Amino acid sequence: MRGRFKSWAKPLLEAHPEYVIFNEQDSFLKEAKECEIGAGKGDFAIGMAKKGHCLVALERDISCAGLFLKKLLQEEEKLALKILPLDFDKCVSYFHEGQFQIIYLNFSDPWPKKKHEKRRLLYPPRLKEIGKFLAPDGEVRFKTDNDSLFEYGLKAIPLAGFSFLKVEEDYSLEESDVMSEYERNFRAEGKKIHRIVFQKEGQ
Ligand SMILES: C[S@@+](CC[C@H](N)C(=O)[O-])C[C@H]1O[C@@H](n2cnc3c(N)ncnc32)[C@H](O)[C@@H]1O
């Protein structure tokens, strides 16, 4: 999600340590049981926090993270949610092994060209890294509108040492789930949403 650069975003993020993580010592990292990687403007993470979930939301695009924070600041109640404005590859030292019960990958960038495969969040070596932070009985929930990325996931996920819990080609939103901005837009266009839920092999 690359929008126009927002020069106000970085200072705004820096002014709100109650909602933004700046270093590995942040005590919220010990509380959070769930993580969204690639949170965009935060609709999903805010919706889940309002349902009582406690989560860290990673977003590497600073302008996007700024827009996310603006929305978060409009909420009347203080939510159990913090933004980590970094790329997943740069924040592995922020997490400890097995810390998350659920990791959400919502409408991850598809990087359709083969030469860009390594940039995909589902690229098996990266997915293995992501898996290190998943609790033994935890699960990863991946949603996409993109047929090729869905097909790629069906191959990449077992290669990274996971097994499928659910593979839904035409996913209907569960009561407990929340739509992200992309999901809302794609559903409005009549697109099918694909979902794969997976866990570490041998669970
Ligand atoms: C296509 S957008 C989807 C946003 C949101 N999840 C939604 O469904 O509305 C993907 C987002 O993931 C972010 N992103 C991609 N790779 C990332 C990474 N390795 N670490 C953190 N954020 C990432 C991008 O900056 C972008 O905002």
Side-chain angles (χ1 to χ4, degrees), residues 28 31-36 44 48-49 52-57 80-82 95 99-104 141:
F28 186 76
E31 290 168 39
K33 294 281 169 275
E34 299 179 13
C35 174
E36 184 187 10
F44 173 83
M48 290 306 267
H53 296 241
C54 176
L55 67 167
V56 180
L81 161 63
K82 274 193 152 187
F95 305 141
Q99 103 168 67
F100 297 118
Q101 279 301 327
I102 310 178
I103 296 178
Y104 303 96
R141 298 183 187 173

Side-chain angles (χ1 to χ4, degrees), residues 37-38 58 60 87-92 103 105 108-111 116-134 140 152 156-157 159-162 198:
I37 306 177
L58 265 66
R60 69 172 174 198
D87 190 293
F88 171 77
D89 293 348
K90 293 193 183 136
C91 66
V92 289
I103 296 178
L105 308 176
S108 310
D109 296 317
W111 294 109
H116 292 148
E117 182 191 358
K118 288 185 180 171
R119 298 184 189 179
R120 296 176 198 155
L121 285 176
L122 294 182
Y123 178 55
R126 180 170 296 101
L127 204 46
K128 272 189 192 165
E129 278 299 303
I130 291 174
K132 282 187 191 163
F133 307 113
L134 193 64
V140 181
Y152 178 79
I157 290 164
L159 287 177
F162 294 92
F198 50 101

Side-chain angles (χ1 to χ4, degrees), residues 27-201:
S27 61
F28 186 76
L29 289 164
K30 291 202 180 84
E31 290 168 39
K33 294 281 169 275
E34 299 179 13
C35 174
E36 184 187 10
I37 306 177
K41 294 181 201 152
D43 291 16
F44 173 83
I46 293 173
M48 290 306 267
K50 283 168 106 170
K51 282 180 182 273
H53 296 241
C54 176
L55 67 167
V56 180
L58 265 66
E59 176 48 58
R60 69 172 174 198
D61 183 298
I62 291 293
S63 300
C64 207
L67 291 166
F68 179 171
L69 177 59
K70 265 193 170 182
K71 276 190 198 166
L72 195 43
L73 293 172
Q74 282 164 16
E75 292 297 326
E76 279 172 17
E77 47 170 347
K78 172 79 176 65
L79 296 175
L81 161 63
K82 274 193 152 187
I83 302 169
L84 179 49
L86 278 181
D87 190 293
F88 171 77
D89 293 348
K90 293 193 183 136
C91 66
V92 289
S93 60
Y94 285 65
F95 305 141
H96 61 262
E97 253 180 58
Q99 103 168 67
F100 297 118
Q101 279 301 327
I102 310 178
I103 296 178
Y104 303 96
L105 308 176
N106 291 318
F107 301 86
S108 310
D109 296 317
W111 294 109
K113 291 186 181 154
K114 177 74 188 154
K115 67 175 179 185
H116 292 148
E117 182 191 358
K118 288 185 180 171
R119 298 184 189 179
R120 296 176 198 155
L121 285 176
L122 294 182
Y123 178 55
R126 180 170 296 101
L127 204 46
K128 272 189 192 165
E129 278 299 303
I130 291 174
K132 282 187 191 163
F133 307 113
L134 193 64
D137 59 344
E139 59 187 57
V140 181
R141 298 183 187 173
F142 165 73
K143 288 194 266 183
T144 185
D145 67 303
N146 188 294
D147 298 340
S148 307
L149 190 63
F150 178 59
E151 293 301 326
Y152 178 79
L154 295 178
K155 290 187 208 118
I157 290 164
L159 287 177
F162 294 92
S163 54
F164 300 118
L165 284 170
K166 286 181 189 166
V167 175
E168 290 151 301
E169 206 263 329
D170 187 3
Y171 167 65
S172 310
L173 196 80
E174 286 171 359
E175 181 84 29
S176 57
D177 199 0
V178 167
M179 275 195 262
S180 69
E181 183 191 13
Y182 273 58
E183 181 164 356
R184 198 174 334 100
N185 293 342
F186 289 134
R187 285 194 187 275
E189 289 171 18
K191 284 198 171 174
K192 271 189 196 169
I193 302 304
H194 314 309
R195 184 170 84 143
I196 309 176
V197 181
F198 50 101
Q199 65 178 2
K200 288 185 186 179
E201 222 159 53

